[in-house]
Amino acid sequence: MSVAVADVLIPLALDTAYSYAVPAGLDLAEGDVVQIPLGPRETVGVVWSLREGASGGNLRRVTAKVAEEGLRPPLRRLVDWIARYTLAPKGSALAMALRLPEEGTRSEVARIGVRATGAAPSRMTPARAKVIAVAADGAVRGKRALGLEAGVSSSVVEGLIDDRVLEAVALAPERVAEPPDPDHPHAPLSGPQREAADALIATLTAPAPGGTAGEGGVTLLEGVTGAGKTEVYFEVVAEAVRRGVQSLVLMPEIALTAQFLDRFAARFGARPAAWHSGIGGRRRERIRAGVAAGEIPVVVGARSALFLPFRTLGLVVVDEEHEAAYKQDDGVCYHARDMAVVRAKLENAAVVLASATPSIETRVNAARGRYRRVVLPERFGGRRLPEIAAVDMRREAMPRGRYLSPTLTAAIAETNARGEQALLFLNRRGYAPLTLCRACGHRYQCPNCSTWLVEHRFRRALVCHHCGHAERRPEACAACGTLDNLAACGPGVERIAEEVAATFPDRRVIVLSSDFPGGAERLRAELQTVAEGGCDIVVGTQLVAKGHNFPHLTLVGVLDADIGLASGDPRAAERTFQLLQQVTGRAGRGEKPGRALVQTYQPEHPVIAALISGDAERFYAEETAAREVAGLPPFGRLAALIVSAAEREAAEAHGRALAQVADPPPGVMVLGPAEAPLALVRGRHRFRLLVKAEREVDIQSYLRDWLARGPKARGSVRVGIDVDPQSFL
DNA sequence: AGCACGCCGACT
DNA sequence: GTCGGCGTGCTC
């Protein structure tokens, strides 16, 4: 006697599928969503495999099949792949793709529509006449919509339904997205844009009608800020729509704004389905269902959109490919850009990675021929890139406690005199990054972290930017009690704003940073004000580096280009270069040409030199070479795994490939496929490690440090995700 | 995830 | 003495 057995993967932190007996008469297929008993409760899972088991045994039985479409094979393979690659339990990876119907997803409240029957009402009133006049065309309208259109309350409509003048009909569920029209009238592309779009279209794997199919793969679309990359990939999306395959456009959550959706609507005549953390409940389910049914041709979404159940995914665009926001580092750690590449490969879809400042790893992949590369070398509409010049701070006469050089001050004055805006960029929130007592030298430090407390003068507080700890700015020194003798050391944006106000008392100044008082709503209004030219000088942090377009902005002043260059992060140079290139690139995107002045104490530093000369190619080549010299791979490939012999056996039982390095911390092993992220096993505990640095030596010292503090002190730790997935495909 | 079991500190 | 904190293990 044999019996049908389903191995069901449950969306919990479980690494193996559980076996259930399939009751006779229940027709199951792999990928089906099923309800199953688990301990004392019922839950859902996905049939991962089906097999014949020996003699009934004592397996519990599958309760029922859930009336939802099953997971298609590519998505199941993605789940397996991600679990293996990130060392997350398979069930956790599945949870990302399954996102259970939220609580209270009342089985789709059927919307009711009404239509005129042609019958005459038993009584006529002015309100009824209005409704009947509107409904006379015989079209189906929503109850509410009909009342609204006729300018009467819905009770009139109800009355007419009772009177058989209107009949109720079931209405198709509300659309979450209007169908995009690939041929909606739009501004033509420039010559270089057209060429780039054609090159990308040639990679689409879905064949053109009567034409040939491309071979897919990954293409880097690189273009300076303002080159019009978005229009280019919109064109590729349009072609995918024409060919009847679905497209996914991934963006960092913050870039997924109404402004962007409007841009999409301007090109396609309809807003796309938008998927991000703010989309909840019913809408979420609709989008899932629409995507699964193939009715939604284009989704624009943040990270998690990667796990939507596309039916025929033909194109994935990853906008702002270099953005760190693509890294998920809680739960299952992954890099959405890399997982997009993996998913596309599994779905045989083409990938476009778009960026003005591509990450090193993507450049390396392009240079090695693993990715294709398409470049838009110039700004759209003949606009020039801003001229960038260094301000050598060693030669500027700087009064104490001042941060605007005479050169920059003069440039601001000229710019404003022409009626144009200036942006002063300093990537430091608050008033001063360090506060100390003049009498005793006491430095205010965070009680939780090892960081200095940052003075926020506006809030009259000392704040830790690491953990959020805040305390009132003291009147007397906490250590020696001296009154009113605190010194603010170094500048933050608030202090710069103060200096600007003193130097240019008649100018309108706006300070923009993520802790903007009044929250996101007011911040948006403020950005709008800047865009409309309602201020003369903007002082901002990294927040102003991207997003909103400021057409009146013609001068960007970088107050301290050296911030960030000295940090121990192996990506420091790359990050700083990208940030400065973005910020300076904000100048001159409107009618008038722009320029940027970069205050620095080390104008010969490769990052600064590359920024000034505009020679990004050289910088990246040097940076890649420098990493090789330092023993750092061009991207975060972990070269070795730490293993303790005592645990090796158990690890191998898990089927993990292991390698050993010298001098492992005692009692510790790290396991995972060679070169993949690491999971730390200590005793019976399993931890994941976040290792920012990408060198073996750093991982080891980090491990030791972490172990010294112990799991109690530290909670859980995770391994980085800067690993190249291509080597595992 | 939920739930049970067990071990330690701090209280009516 | 107990109550309950969470650390740990288990669910086919």
Side-chain angles (χ1 to χ4, degrees), chain A residues 406-442:
Chain A
T407 306
L408 181 54
T409 306
I412 296 169
E414 284 167 31
T415 303
N416 285 171
R418 286 194 303 266
E420 297 161 12
Q421 277 173 340
L423 166 69
L424 302 180
F425 171 76
L426 178 66
N427 207 8
R428 269 201 193 124
R429 287 152 51 207
Y431 185 84
L434 169 68
T435 302
L436 53 79
C437 171
R438 274 199 193 88
C440 73
H442 174 72

mmCIF file of all heavy atoms in Angstrom, chain A residues 406-442:
data_model
loop_
_atom_site.group_PDB
_atom_site.id
_atom_site.type_symbol
_atom_site.label_atom_id
_atom_site.label_comp_id
_atom_site.label_asym_id
_atom_site.label_seq_id
_atom_site.Cartn_x
_atom_site.Cartn_y
_atom_site.Cartn_z
ATOM 1 N N PRO A 406 35.485 82.378 1.525
ATOM 2 C CA PRO A 406 35.226 83.603 0.754
ATOM 3 C C PRO A 406 34.856 83.286 -0.697
ATOM 4 O O PRO A 406 33.968 83.918 -1.268
ATOM 5 C CB PRO A 406 36.563 84.349 0.846
ATOM 6 C CG PRO A 406 37.183 83.863 2.120
ATOM 7 C CD PRO A 406 36.745 82.432 2.266
ATOM 8 N N THR A 407 35.527 82.308 -1.289
ATOM 9 C CA THR A 407 35.247 81.943 -2.684
ATOM 10 C C THR A 407 33.799 81.508 -2.846
ATOM 11 O O THR A 407 33.093 81.962 -3.753
ATOM 12 C CB THR A 407 36.180 80.794 -3.123
ATOM 13 O OG1 THR A 407 37.521 81.175 -2.885
ATOM 14 C CG2 THR A 407 35.981 80.458 -4.583
ATOM 15 N N LEU A 408 33.366 80.633 -1.942
ATOM 16 C CA LEU A 408 31.991 80.132 -2.042
ATOM 17 C C LEU A 408 30.987 81.249 -1.743
ATOM 18 O O LEU A 408 29.961 81.372 -2.429
ATOM 19 C CB LEU A 408 31.796 78.957 -1.076
ATOM 20 C CG LEU A 408 30.408 78.294 -1.071
ATOM 21 C CD1 LEU A 408 30.003 77.863 -2.483
ATOM 22 C CD2 LEU A 408 30.383 77.095 -0.136
ATOM 23 N N THR A 409 31.324 82.084 -0.740
ATOM 24 C CA THR A 409 30.426 83.180 -0.383
ATOM 25 C C THR A 409 30.205 84.112 -1.579
ATOM 26 O O THR A 409 29.069 84.489 -1.890
ATOM 27 C CB THR A 409 31.010 83.983 0.798
ATOM 28 O OG1 THR A 409 31.288 83.074 1.865
ATOM 29 C CG2 THR A 409 30.032 85.037 1.281
ATOM 30 N N ALA A 410 31.295 84.415 -2.272
ATOM 31 C CA ALA A 410 31.190 85.291 -3.443
ATOM 32 C C ALA A 410 30.317 84.646 -4.517
ATOM 33 O O ALA A 410 29.487 85.313 -5.154
ATOM 34 C CB ALA A 410 32.581 85.584 -4.005
ATOM 35 N N ALA A 411 30.477 83.357 -4.693
ATOM 36 C CA ALA A 411 29.703 82.644 -5.720
ATOM 37 C C ALA A 411 28.208 82.655 -5.384
ATOM 38 O O ALA A 411 27.362 82.802 -6.270
ATOM 39 C CB ALA A 411 30.203 81.207 -5.849
ATOM 40 N N ILE A 412 27.905 82.512 -4.093
ATOM 41 C CA ILE A 412 26.498 82.542 -3.679
ATOM 42 C C ILE A 412 25.906 83.916 -3.997
ATOM 43 O O ILE A 412 24.812 84.024 -4.558
ATOM 44 C CB ILE A 412 26.360 82.261 -2.161
ATOM 45 C CG1 ILE A 412 26.847 80.854 -1.836
ATOM 46 C CG2 ILE A 412 24.903 82.430 -1.722
ATOM 47 C CD1 ILE A 412 26.993 80.591 -0.337
ATOM 48 N N ALA A 413 26.672 84.952 -3.671
ATOM 49 C CA ALA A 413 26.195 86.313 -3.912
ATOM 50 C C ALA A 413 25.900 86.535 -5.394
ATOM 51 O O ALA A 413 24.832 87.038 -5.761
ATOM 52 C CB ALA A 413 27.233 87.319 -3.411
ATOM 53 N N GLU A 414 26.823 86.107 -6.251
ATOM 54 C CA GLU A 414 26.615 86.267 -7.699
ATOM 55 C C GLU A 414 25.379 85.514 -8.168
ATOM 56 O O GLU A 414 24.579 86.015 -8.958
ATOM 57 C CB GLU A 414 27.798 85.677 -8.469
ATOM 58 C CG GLU A 414 29.049 86.515 -8.474
ATOM 59 C CD GLU A 414 30.226 85.694 -8.996
ATOM 60 O OE1 GLU A 414 29.995 84.792 -9.845
ATOM 61 O OE2 GLU A 414 31.358 85.927 -8.523
ATOM 62 N N THR A 415 25.272 84.286 -7.666
ATOM 63 C CA THR A 415 24.160 83.439 -8.103
ATOM 64 C C THR A 415 22.821 84.070 -7.728
ATOM 65 O O THR A 415 21.930 84.207 -8.572
ATOM 66 C CB THR A 415 24.272 82.051 -7.446
ATOM 67 O OG1 THR A 415 25.538 81.494 -7.772
ATOM 68 C CG2 THR A 415 23.157 81.130 -7.924
ATOM 69 N N ASN A 416 22.710 84.477 -6.471
ATOM 70 C CA ASN A 416 21.467 85.092 -6.022
ATOM 71 C C ASN A 416 21.202 86.395 -6.769
ATOM 72 O O ASN A 416 20.066 86.727 -7.074
ATOM 73 C CB ASN A 416 21.511 85.355 -4.518
ATOM 74 C CG ASN A 416 21.328 84.079 -3.692
ATOM 75 O OD1 ASN A 416 21.498 84.089 -2.486
ATOM 76 N ND2 ASN A 416 20.961 82.978 -4.347
ATOM 77 N N ALA A 417 22.278 87.132 -7.079
ATOM 78 C CA ALA A 417 22.116 88.396 -7.795
ATOM 79 C C ALA A 417 21.467 88.171 -9.163
ATOM 80 O O ALA A 417 20.765 89.037 -9.678
ATOM 81 C CB ALA A 417 23.465 89.089 -7.943
ATOM 82 N N ARG A 418 21.714 87.025 -9.738
ATOM 83 C CA ARG A 418 21.088 86.697 -11.026
ATOM 84 C C ARG A 418 19.688 86.123 -10.848
ATOM 85 O O ARG A 418 19.071 85.653 -11.788
ATOM 86 C CB ARG A 418 21.944 85.682 -11.780
ATOM 87 C CG ARG A 418 23.225 86.253 -12.381
ATOM 88 C CD ARG A 418 23.824 85.273 -13.371
ATOM 89 N NE ARG A 418 24.089 83.976 -12.748
ATOM 90 C CZ ARG A 418 25.252 83.632 -12.219
ATOM 91 N NH1 ARG A 418 26.260 84.480 -12.226
ATOM 92 N NH2 ARG A 418 25.415 82.454 -11.678
ATOM 93 N N GLY A 419 19.234 86.065 -9.586
ATOM 94 C CA GLY A 419 17.900 85.513 -9.328
ATOM 95 C C GLY A 419 17.880 83.990 -9.331
ATOM 96 O O GLY A 419 16.828 83.378 -9.489
ATOM 97 N N GLU A 420 19.055 83.380 -9.156
ATOM 98 C CA GLU A 420 19.128 81.919 -9.160
ATOM 99 C C GLU A 420 19.402 81.397 -7.755
ATOM 100 O O GLU A 420 19.821 82.128 -6.871
ATOM 101 C CB GLU A 420 20.222 81.471 -10.133
ATOM 102 C CG GLU A 420 19.911 81.881 -11.558
ATOM 103 C CD GLU A 420 21.142 81.874 -12.469
ATOM 104 O OE1 GLU A 420 22.187 81.332 -12.055
ATOM 105 O OE2 GLU A 420 21.046 82.427 -13.577
ATOM 106 N N GLN A 421 19.160 80.078 -7.602
ATOM 107 C CA GLN A 421 19.286 79.475 -6.280
ATOM 108 C C GLN A 421 20.658 78.838 -6.052
ATOM 109 O O GLN A 421 21.289 78.361 -6.988
ATOM 110 C CB GLN A 421 18.267 78.345 -6.120
ATOM 111 C CG GLN A 421 16.888 78.791 -5.720
ATOM 112 C CD GLN A 421 15.933 77.609 -5.756
ATOM 113 O OE1 GLN A 421 16.177 76.593 -6.388
ATOM 114 N NE2 GLN A 421 14.816 77.760 -5.064
ATOM 115 N N ALA A 422 21.048 78.802 -4.782
ATOM 116 C CA ALA A 422 22.261 78.083 -4.401
ATOM 117 C C ALA A 422 21.892 76.991 -3.398
ATOM 118 O O ALA A 422 21.000 77.167 -2.574
ATOM 119 C CB ALA A 422 23.267 79.044 -3.781
ATOM 120 N N LEU A 423 22.580 75.865 -3.509
ATOM 121 C CA LEU A 423 22.396 74.771 -2.551
ATOM 122 C C LEU A 423 23.712 74.542 -1.827
ATOM 123 O O LEU A 423 24.758 74.373 -2.464
ATOM 124 C CB LEU A 423 21.988 73.491 -3.296
ATOM 125 C CG LEU A 423 22.085 72.187 -2.507
ATOM 126 C CD1 LEU A 423 21.029 72.137 -1.409
ATOM 127 C CD2 LEU A 423 21.920 70.981 -3.425
ATOM 128 N N LEU A 424 23.665 74.575 -0.521
ATOM 129 C CA LEU A 424 24.860 74.278 0.255
ATOM 130 C C LEU A 424 24.680 72.904 0.882
ATOM 131 O O LEU A 424 23.737 72.670 1.643
ATOM 132 C CB LEU A 424 25.061 75.336 1.342
ATOM 133 C CG LEU A 424 25.168 76.763 0.783
ATOM 134 C CD1 LEU A 424 25.359 77.766 1.906
ATOM 135 C CD2 LEU A 424 26.298 76.860 -0.230
ATOM 136 N N PHE A 425 25.583 72.025 0.522
ATOM 137 C CA PHE A 425 25.446 70.635 0.959
ATOM 138 C C PHE A 425 26.425 70.303 2.077
ATOM 139 O O PHE A 425 27.627 70.525 1.957
ATOM 140 C CB PHE A 425 25.682 69.701 -0.229
ATOM 141 C CG PHE A 425 25.770 68.250 0.154
ATOM 142 C CD1 PHE A 425 24.630 67.540 0.473
ATOM 143 C CD2 PHE A 425 27.003 67.594 0.201
ATOM 144 C CE1 PHE A 425 24.704 66.202 0.838
ATOM 145 C CE2 PHE A 425 27.079 66.256 0.568
ATOM 146 C CZ PHE A 425 25.924 65.571 0.880
ATOM 147 N N LEU A 426 25.875 69.780 3.157
ATOM 148 C CA LEU A 426 26.720 69.281 4.241
ATOM 149 C C LEU A 426 26.015 68.069 4.822
ATOM 150 O O LEU A 426 24.891 68.154 5.316
ATOM 151 C CB LEU A 426 26.905 70.340 5.335
ATOM 152 C CG LEU A 426 27.739 69.871 6.536
ATOM 153 C CD1 LEU A 426 29.186 69.616 6.128
ATOM 154 C CD2 LEU A 426 27.687 70.872 7.668
ATOM 155 N N ASN A 427 26.681 66.946 4.784
ATOM 156 C CA ASN A 427 25.989 65.729 5.202
ATOM 157 C C ASN A 427 26.040 65.530 6.715
ATOM 158 O O ASN A 427 26.471 64.488 7.205
ATOM 159 C CB ASN A 427 26.583 64.528 4.479
ATOM 160 C CG ASN A 427 25.562 63.416 4.352
ATOM 161 O OD1 ASN A 427 24.382 63.624 4.672
ATOM 162 N ND2 ASN A 427 25.986 62.263 3.909
ATOM 163 N N ARG A 428 25.610 66.575 7.442
ATOM 164 C CA ARG A 428 25.577 66.453 8.902
ATOM 165 C C ARG A 428 24.353 67.141 9.453
ATOM 166 O O ARG A 428 24.208 68.359 9.328
ATOM 167 C CB ARG A 428 26.813 67.087 9.504
ATOM 168 C CG ARG A 428 27.938 66.119 9.679
ATOM 169 C CD ARG A 428 28.904 66.637 10.716
ATOM 170 N NE ARG A 428 30.133 65.881 10.664
ATOM 171 C CZ ARG A 428 31.312 66.416 10.481
ATOM 172 N NH1 ARG A 428 31.434 67.715 10.321
ATOM 173 N NH2 ARG A 428 32.378 65.660 10.450
ATOM 174 N N ARG A 429 23.504 66.391 10.059
ATOM 175 C CA ARG A 429 22.308 66.963 10.651
ATOM 176 C C ARG A 429 22.675 67.708 11.935
ATOM 177 O O ARG A 429 23.722 67.472 12.513
ATOM 178 C CB ARG A 429 21.307 65.865 10.985
ATOM 179 C CG ARG A 429 20.601 65.262 9.785
ATOM 180 C CD ARG A 429 20.185 63.832 10.045
ATOM 181 N NE ARG A 429 19.439 63.725 11.295
ATOM 182 C CZ ARG A 429 19.373 62.649 12.047
ATOM 183 N NH1 ARG A 429 20.022 61.558 11.694
ATOM 184 N NH2 ARG A 429 18.675 62.636 13.147
ATOM 185 N N GLY A 430 21.752 68.558 12.366
ATOM 186 C CA GLY A 430 21.914 69.220 13.651
ATOM 187 C C GLY A 430 22.788 70.469 13.574
ATOM 188 O O GLY A 430 23.082 70.980 12.501
ATOM 189 N N TYR A 431 23.218 70.937 14.757
ATOM 190 C CA TYR A 431 23.983 72.176 14.840
ATOM 191 C C TYR A 431 25.484 71.895 14.885
ATOM 192 O O TYR A 431 26.255 72.462 14.143
ATOM 193 C CB TYR A 431 23.555 72.958 16.083
ATOM 194 C CG TYR A 431 24.205 74.313 16.174
ATOM 195 C CD1 TYR A 431 23.653 75.403 15.501
ATOM 196 C CD2 TYR A 431 25.366 74.493 16.915
ATOM 197 C CE1 TYR A 431 24.256 76.650 15.566
ATOM 198 C CE2 TYR A 431 25.969 75.742 16.983
ATOM 199 C CZ TYR A 431 25.411 76.818 16.314
ATOM 200 O OH TYR A 431 25.999 78.037 16.367
ATOM 201 N N ALA A 432 25.859 70.985 15.773
ATOM 202 C CA ALA A 432 27.276 70.659 15.885
ATOM 203 C C ALA A 432 27.440 69.192 16.254
ATOM 204 O O ALA A 432 26.729 68.677 17.110
ATOM 205 C CB ALA A 432 27.925 71.529 16.947
ATOM 206 N N PRO A 433 28.377 68.513 15.592
ATOM 207 C CA PRO A 433 28.524 67.067 15.789
ATOM 208 C C PRO A 433 29.162 66.694 17.130
ATOM 209 O O PRO A 433 29.147 65.522 17.495
ATOM 210 C CB PRO A 433 29.418 66.634 14.624
ATOM 211 C CG PRO A 433 30.118 67.877 14.187
ATOM 212 C CD PRO A 433 29.206 69.017 14.496
ATOM 213 N N LEU A 434 29.751 67.651 17.816
ATOM 214 C CA LEU A 434 30.388 67.333 19.093
ATOM 215 C C LEU A 434 30.229 68.518 20.041
ATOM 216 O O LEU A 434 30.368 69.671 19.648
ATOM 217 C CB LEU A 434 31.891 67.043 18.871
ATOM 218 C CG LEU A 434 32.775 66.954 20.130
ATOM 219 C CD1 LEU A 434 32.430 65.718 20.950
ATOM 220 C CD2 LEU A 434 34.248 66.957 19.757
ATOM 221 N N THR A 435 29.915 68.201 21.275
ATOM 222 C CA THR A 435 29.790 69.259 22.269
ATOM 223 C C THR A 435 30.743 68.954 23.421
ATOM 224 O O THR A 435 30.775 67.809 23.888
ATOM 225 C CB THR A 435 28.349 69.290 22.816
ATOM 226 O OG1 THR A 435 27.461 69.499 21.732
ATOM 227 C CG2 THR A 435 28.167 70.411 23.819
ATOM 228 N N LEU A 436 31.509 69.949 23.814
ATOM 229 C CA LEU A 436 32.375 69.691 24.972
ATOM 230 C C LEU A 436 32.378 70.877 25.931
ATOM 231 O O LEU A 436 31.984 71.988 25.587
ATOM 232 C CB LEU A 436 33.795 69.301 24.544
ATOM 233 C CG LEU A 436 34.592 70.187 23.589
ATOM 234 C CD1 LEU A 436 35.174 71.362 24.320
ATOM 235 C CD2 LEU A 436 35.705 69.360 22.970
ATOM 236 N N CYS A 437 32.841 70.610 27.158
ATOM 237 C CA CYS A 437 32.889 71.644 28.182
ATOM 238 C C CYS A 437 34.234 72.371 28.087
ATOM 239 O O CYS A 437 35.284 71.732 28.101
ATOM 240 C CB CYS A 437 32.729 71.013 29.571
ATOM 241 S SG CYS A 437 33.041 72.194 30.900
ATOM 242 N N ARG A 438 34.180 73.675 27.980
ATOM 243 C CA ARG A 438 35.414 74.455 27.841
ATOM 244 C C ARG A 438 36.271 74.359 29.100
ATOM 245 O O ARG A 438 37.483 74.479 29.054
ATOM 246 C CB ARG A 438 35.084 75.920 27.590
ATOM 247 C CG ARG A 438 34.855 76.210 26.129
ATOM 248 C CD ARG A 438 34.987 77.689 25.831
ATOM 249 N NE ARG A 438 34.475 77.948 24.505
ATOM 250 C CZ ARG A 438 33.227 78.219 24.240
ATOM 251 N NH1 ARG A 438 32.351 78.320 25.203
ATOM 252 N NH2 ARG A 438 32.823 78.397 23.007
ATOM 253 N N ALA A 439 35.608 74.183 30.241
ATOM 254 C CA ALA A 439 36.343 74.175 31.508
ATOM 255 C C ALA A 439 37.095 72.875 31.721
ATOM 256 O O ALA A 439 38.288 72.875 32.030
ATOM 257 C CB ALA A 439 35.390 74.426 32.670
ATOM 258 N N CYS A 440 36.418 71.739 31.569
ATOM 259 C CA CYS A 440 37.059 70.466 31.904
ATOM 260 C C CYS A 440 37.286 69.545 30.711
ATOM 261 O O CYS A 440 37.907 68.499 30.844
ATOM 262 C CB CYS A 440 36.251 69.736 32.972
ATOM 263 S SG CYS A 440 34.710 69.035 32.355
ATOM 264 N N GLY A 441 36.768 69.909 29.561
ATOM 265 C CA GLY A 441 36.979 69.079 28.373
ATOM 266 C C GLY A 441 36.036 67.897 28.255
ATOM 267 O O GLY A 441 36.197 67.053 27.373
ATOM 268 N N HIS A 442 35.035 67.838 29.137
ATOM 269 C CA HIS A 442 34.085 66.728 29.071
ATOM 270 C C HIS A 442 33.363 66.707 27.732
ATOM 271 O O HIS A 442 32.870 67.725 27.251
ATOM 272 C CB HIS A 442 33.062 66.851 30.215
ATOM 273 C CG HIS A 442 31.955 65.829 30.138
ATOM 274 N ND1 HIS A 442 32.165 64.505 30.415
ATOM 275 C CD2 HIS A 442 30.648 65.955 29.810
ATOM 276 C CE1 HIS A 442 31.020 63.857 30.255
ATOM 277 N NE2 HIS A 442 30.092 64.715 29.895
#
